[in-house]
Amino acid sequence: DAGVIQSPRHEVTEMGQEVTLRCKPISGHDYLFWYRQTMMRGLELLIYFNNNVPIDDSGMPEDRFSAKMPNASFSTLKIQPSEPRDSAVYFCASSTGKGSGRNSPLHFGNGTRLTVT
Amino acid sequence: KNEVEQSPQNLTAQEGEFITINCSYSVGISALHWLQQHPGGGIVSLFMLSSGKKKHGRLIATINIQEKHSSLHITASHPRDSAVYICAASEYGNKLVFGAGTILRVKS
């Protein structure tokens, strides 16, 4: 089991550029979550998917942020245009709810550290 | 007021000491998660519980639903336990509300 795989590990970009973060969840997991971690606000849920369908995107800060999950093994989080205040560590996590939304342990990726200059 | 509050914010202990980290929440929950984040940044799920007590090695997690309170205990602490410990409440399904974290440093 390779775990949740995120790429890239680090991303440095200039303000105004488009940034795409990628995530491969654990095979068989039907929930996928995108979180953002900053010193000021800690961990925050941005959006989560169940069976590739976005369920709750109320944490997405602005229209500049978008997330997709075209299939069960891949998701992207895109920021366009990026701003310095988007600098943070972005985590992807997956879990299995067996289709019922029941609680189950989360498995986190190693995160992508984004710096926008 | 945050929906999930942890205490203490920082904790320094000597190797071998018994450690307790507390978590109080104000939301109705279906489960309470304890996470560990090491200096390298990776996050690991330690426990998920909705009642009673769970134990894994030297780690013990308890929850009191009526008092809306959970504790994480570490017995015989070791420097490798140094990390940030995060409590998170699941209001429904796996939508988590996170505490600010407790920074633990265990000195040898």
Side-chain angles (χ1 to χ4, degrees), chain A residues 76-97:
Chain A
T76 59
L77 177 68
K78 186 177 293 186
I79 308 172
Q80 167 63 22
S82 58
E83 296 184 3
R85 60 195 168 117
D86 302 330
S87 298
V89 181
Y90 291 81
F91 287 98
C92 175
S94 70
S95 69
T96 174

Side-chain angles (χ1 to χ4, degrees), chain B residues 2-20:
Chain B
N2 292 334
E3 293 174 307
V4 178
E5 302 231 346
Q6 286 184 236
S7 62
Q9 287 185 310
N10 291 278
L11 181 56
T12 300
Q14 284 295 132
E15 183 174 358
E17 284 185 0
F18 180 84
I19 289 165
T20 296

Side-chain angles (χ1 to χ4, degrees), chain B residues 27-89:
Chain B
V27 297
I29 68 165
S30 55
L32 192 290
H33 298 248
W34 281 101
L35 310 173
Q36 179 192 56
Q37 186 170 27
H38 273 285
I43 300 175
V44 174
S45 176
L46 296 175
F47 295 102
M48 182 191 70
L49 65 166
S50 54
S51 65
K53 174 178 164 179
K54 286 191 176 181
K55 184 175 189 291
H56 185 258
R58 294 180 296 105
L59 302 178
I60 303 166
T62 64
I63 189 168
N64 184 316
I65 298 293
Q66 287 73 28
E67 295 185 3
K68 295 190 173 182
H69 181 268
S70 176
S71 293
L72 176 69
H73 305 285
I74 305 176
T75 62
S77 60
H78 189 275
R80 64 174 175 265
D81 297 326
S82 298
V84 178
Y85 292 84
I86 303 168
C87 165

Side-chain angles (χ1 to χ4, degrees), chain A residues 39-94:
Chain A
M39 289 294 293
M40 290 297 295
R41 299 172 67 92
L43 273 164
E44 301 174 286
L45 175 67
L46 298 177
I47 185 172
Y48 79 94
F49 296 83
N50 178 218
N51 291 323
N52 313 338
V53 176
I55 302 300
D56 186 338
D57 65 355
S58 59
M60 296 285 263
E62 298 170 35
D63 290 345
R64 298 184 297 105
F65 285 69
S66 62
K68 293 181 180 179
M69 192 165 186
N71 57 63
S73 59
F74 184 66
S75 176
T76 59
L77 177 68
K78 186 177 293 186
I79 308 172
Q80 167 63 22
S82 58
E83 296 184 3
R85 60 195 168 117
D86 302 330
S87 298
V89 181
Y90 291 81
F91 287 98
C92 175
S94 70

